[in-house]
Amino acid sequence: METTATILHADLDAFYASVEQLLDPMLRGKPIAVGGGVVLAASYEARAFGVRGGMPGRKARELCPQLIFVGGNFSHYQRLGDAAIKMLDDFTPLVERISIDEAFADVAGCTHLFGSPQEIAATIRRRVRAELGLPISIGVARTKHLAKIASQVAKPDGLVVVDPGTELSFLHNLPVGLMWGVGPATRARLAEIGVETIGQLARTHSGALTRLLGPAAGEKLLALSWNRDPRKLETKRRAHSAGAQSALGQKPAVARVIVPTLLHLADRVASRLRAKARPGRTVTVRVRFADLSAVTRSITLDQPISATTMLAEIAGDLVRGVLADNPHERTISLLAISVSHLWENADLQLELPLGLADEKQRPGTAKGLARFGADRAIDKIRERFGKQAVGYGTVALEAARSVPDEFRELAEKEL
């Protein structure tokens, strides 16, 4: 493992909100939120009142009555995000982009050209501010995990360099919620056993973490708490699965809720698979109930699929199985679909018309081919006239569209 801090994690600050303030100077210095029914992003001025991304718009307005909601300028998000990440490419070819507004860079091989890692990071920050008008925070460390944490500590609009000799003293005083992979649910479970800082996590017995979080998550977090992170940058990352989810609030677990939501999710997932010619064999659904407990079910098919209605029906079968096994659950709060075990250049095995009950869900049958053909026709119309030009017969719930699809697409990994 490297013994010097040469990994940068660059993260644009409150990116979507910052772009809106850049485009409209009247919004600068004011609490703003991107979205409407749901807060997609909040400026730091809004965050000071407790407004956060993913929060219902009504609650956000209660916390901050002067909050200004603005619509999303998605083309500008993409343009400015690309331009900011491109600046990292000017210093090193070892850049791993992990989202529209953040990336890792390894500058070990270019310090003789551009100065120390700290100097390179400072130059990048100056350029992003001068050329794009956006704030960006950068963390510099020996490992990816620590560099990402350092960039969070640097926010807003700062630079933090963690010297290898001070790694654990820096890390162990920080809240455990800053760790990669520790979300609200995991943070709450750790708090139950008195773990609130990374140092407390590091001193927790591995057996206790395994019992609490499972062997994989427990071992991973314990290693990261001691800054053991051997991962290298992946400059050509491709997703191994495609998924989509929809938070529903509190909805009854009935067909009129489930069917249109699954069709909407299947449309988002399958259209991505077709666009990259990467059908998948394993379909997984996740059903979250009112108490936030969740059940996951999956099935691996004989042949890979990428047809929308086929995926929606298979997902529907899985969800019905989950509900049948949990008859006491009457309310759902989230549905999700993912497709994995993706294939490239898959050969389609044609099937004889044997009158099987699931012929419509088999890609090699006449009915399966017809469904795929209809999907491709829809794809072509959308490519020419936009996604809203044509859709499927059942319209998804408004709750499923509370977050615009354009916003979701910005976060999707390359297939």
Side-chain angles (χ1 to χ4, degrees):
M1 185 177 289
E2 294 291 334
T3 57
T4 56
T6 61
I7 295 179
L8 278 59
H9 180 263
D11 193 356
L12 289 156
D13 297 322
F15 178 52
Y16 303 111
S18 295
V19 171
E20 297 299 333
Q21 291 176 323
L22 174 68
L23 298 175
D24 184 355
M26 296 294 292
L27 298 175
R28 294 175 188 173
K30 297 179 180 179
I32 72 166
V34 180
V38 173
V39 175
L40 305 180
S43 67
Y44 280 101
E45 296 85 355
R47 294 182 187 185
F49 290 87
V51 178
R52 295 290 185 270
M55 178 180 290
R58 180 180 300 177
K59 182 177 180 181
R61 289 187 179 91
E62 291 174 355
L63 292 172
C64 181
Q66 63 269 47
L67 185 66
I68 302 171
F69 272 93
V70 296
N73 287 280
F74 300 102
S75 61
H76 288 292
Y77 300 157
Q78 190 69 65
R79 174 179 64 83
L80 291 167
D82 290 346
I85 303 305
K86 178 69 169 60
M87 291 186 189
L88 300 177
D89 295 330
D90 293 342
F91 293 88
T92 174
L94 299 178
V95 175
E96 177 185 343
R97 187 173 186 173
I98 57 176
S99 72
I100 189 173
D101 58 349
E102 61 178 318
F104 289 104
D106 190 339
V107 297
C110 61
T111 54
H112 62 293
L113 294 174
F114 304 112
S116 68
Q118 181 173 353
E119 292 171 326
I120 293 172
T123 302
I124 292 170
R125 293 188 63 245
R126 285 195 299 270
R127 283 189 56 188
V128 171
R129 172 64 79 176
E131 298 176 29
L132 302 180
L134 293 171
I136 188 170
S137 295
I138 299 180
V140 184
R142 186 173 54 90
T143 64
K144 290 173 68 174
H145 181 252
L146 191 55
K148 183 172 174 65
I149 287 181
S151 73
Q152 305 312 301
V153 174
K155 288 182 174 293
D157 197 18
L159 168 62
V160 168
V161 180
V162 184
D163 184 84
T166 65
E167 288 174 344
L168 295 183
S169 60
F170 170 82
L171 187 62
H172 283 180
N173 290 324
L174 297 174
V176 72
L178 286 180
M179 295 184 70
W180 210 344
V182 177
T186 300
R187 187 170 67 246
R189 297 181 73 180
L190 289 170
E192 292 175 359
I193 61 171
V195 174
E196 296 184 348
T197 69
I198 297 175
Q200 290 172 333
L201 175 65
R203 294 186 290 272
T204 302
H205 191 276
S206 59
L209 290 177
T210 296
R211 288 190 296 272
L212 184 69
L213 306 175
E219 291 175 11
K220 178 182 177 181
L221 290 181
L222 189 59
L224 292 177
S225 71
W226 290 100
N227 197 35
R228 294 195 291 267
D229 182 14
R231 293 171 300 168
K232 302 296 183 181
L233 269 66
E234 300 178 39
T235 58
K236 296 182 180 180
R237 294 185 68 188
R238 295 186 70 186
H240 300 294
S241 64
Q245 67 179 31
S246 182
L248 302 173
Q250 300 289 322
K251 297 291 183 182
V254 295
R256 64 179 173 81
V257 173
I258 294 169
V259 172
T261 302
L262 290 179
L263 183 56
H264 175 64
L265 296 176
D267 187 16
R268 287 170 45 200
V269 173
S271 60
R272 292 182 64 204
L273 298 177
R274 293 193 299 274
K276 297 297 183 179
R278 297 192 72 193
R281 284 186 58 204
T282 300
V283 177
T284 302
V285 300
R286 183 166 178 256
V287 183
R288 192 176 70 194
F289 300 114
D291 63 355
L292 301 186
S293 64
V295 176
T296 301
R297 288 284 172 83
S298 64
I299 184 173
T300 298
L301 309 169
D302 294 334
Q303 291 201 69
I305 66 168
S306 60
T308 294
T309 51
M310 196 178 295
L311 175 58
E313 290 176 2
I314 292 170
D317 292 341
L318 292 172
V319 170
R320 282 188 288 275
V322 169
L323 296 176
D325 291 343
N326 296 270
H328 57 288
E329 299 287 357
R330 304 300 180 101
T331 304
I332 55 176
S333 60
L334 178 140
L335 288 173
I337 297 176
S338 68
V339 178
S340 56
H341 198 172
L342 305 184
W343 289 38
E344 290 190 70
N345 304 315
D347 294 325
L348 180 62
Q349 179 64 51
L350 299 180
E351 299 184 36
L352 294 172
L354 301 177
L356 300 176
D358 63 347
E359 272 195 3
K360 292 193 301 181
Q361 297 176 7
R362 303 176 73 90
T365 64
K367 292 180 180 179
L369 290 169
R371 286 180 148 190
F372 182 79
D375 285 333
R376 291 301 296 144
I378 288 176
D379 294 339
K380 291 183 180 298
I381 293 172
R382 287 174 169 176
E383 288 170 8
R384 183 170 181 181
F385 299 106
K387 288 194 172 181
Q388 303 305 316
V390 63
Y392 294 85
T394 303
V395 179
L397 295 172
E398 286 303 313
R401 298 182 183 274
S402 59
V403 177
D405 286 347
E406 295 93 337
F407 188 85
R408 300 180 190 273
E409 289 166 5
L410 292 176
E412 290 173 347
K413 296 178 181 178
E414 182 70 19
L415 287 178

